[in-house]
Amino acid sequence: MSCAGYSGASRTFKQAPSPTSQSTLPAEQVITVGTYAQYPPQEFIDPKTNQPVGFDIDIMNALALRAHLKLHIVTSSFATLLDSLVNGQLDIVISAVSITPERQQKVHFLPYFHGGESLLVTKGNPDHINSLADLCGHTVGVKEASFEQSDLEVANTDCQNAGKPGIVITSVPKQHDVLQLILSNHVSATYQDAPITDYAIKQNSAKVERAGILVDDNLEGIALRKEANDLYYTLQHALEQMKADGSYHALIKKWGLTSGDILANP
């Protein structure tokens, strides 16, 4: 994700301990789920209903249905989510959380999605851009104060050190405005988290396309307290059911998040 704390995560995933018994969760248990609902398409507030929606919310609702759980979804700042989980104020966190060794010291993660960064270009890729190294001499849009802006600044230095024209970085405050830069042909490319790229393509498939491969690939996970073994294995079993019956892929397709599919990108 383009906010501090989301990108640059390790690809190493430490699996939770193997279960020693069957789950004993009571039927229709109410589970409090925390999310940072300002990151479309994974979680955001529907302006019509004022309720959280998105890929992550759909995943959580589908898991709860299979596990016979009731959800109480609360929104919070990303920075406080894992601490609220550890302190017992939340039972689950789902919010495009990259799995890192540091976070694994605090909580267990059930991996469900691949995160990363990617380039968005005009349909047909007229400038033949397939990597950050191809951006020398081009104008690129990015959300200000994001990891992607830092990556572009490094790439710009690399261009100049190689005797090539630098990258003209156009940073704007809102992610929506980054997309408008490419749709209005003000930049040759934009650089953002891969789910944002995929969702932009789903909404504007005649105008834009992804360029190159996923950069800084990382696993995202549903976070649970380390002692919540029953809940962990209940959700793990439900997720395996979703993978097997096609409902996981259906949600990937619904939101256009093909680069994040853990079945296609194991």
Side-chain angles (χ1 to χ4, degrees), residues 52-195:
V53 295
F55 172 76
D56 285 356
I57 305 303
D58 281 354
I59 284 284
M60 201 64 247
N61 282 324
L63 292 174
L65 181 64
R66 285 162 176 77
H68 307 290
L69 301 171
K70 290 184 178 180
L71 300 183
H72 172 56
I73 299 176
V74 297
T75 61
S76 177
S77 70
F78 181 80
T80 64
L81 284 174
L82 292 187
D83 285 340
S84 296
L85 175 65
V86 172
N87 293 337
Q89 297 167 283
L90 302 171
D91 298 303
I92 293 170
V93 167
I94 185 166
S95 196
V97 183
S98 298
I99 301 173
T100 69
E102 294 77 15
R103 289 171 180 163
Q104 287 180 289
Q105 295 296 316
K106 299 174 64 174
V107 298
H108 278 325
F109 283 104
L110 177 60
Y112 70 102
F113 191 74
H114 273 286
E117 303 165 347
S118 58
L119 288 159
L120 185 69
V121 298
T122 303
K123 192 75 173 181
N125 196 2
D127 294 312
H128 309 290
I129 294 169
N130 290 295
S131 70
L132 297 187
D134 296 330
L135 296 175
C136 302
H138 292 291
T139 303
V140 184
V142 68
K143 185 177 183 294
E144 66 182 26
S146 63
F147 282 106
E148 288 82 9
Q149 180 174 354
S150 298
D151 290 345
L152 289 177
E153 290 167 353
V154 172
N156 175 50
T157 299
D158 291 342
C159 290
Q160 294 174 339
N161 288 343
K164 298 179 181 179
I167 301 171
V168 180
I169 300 172
T170 302
S171 61
V172 292
K174 297 181 179 180
Q175 190 63 54
H176 174 267
D177 295 333
V178 177
L179 178 59
Q180 295 308 308
L181 289 173
I182 190 73
L183 292 177
S184 60
N185 296 313
H186 281 85
V187 295
S188 298
T190 64
Y191 189 47
Q192 57 278 307
D193 287 344

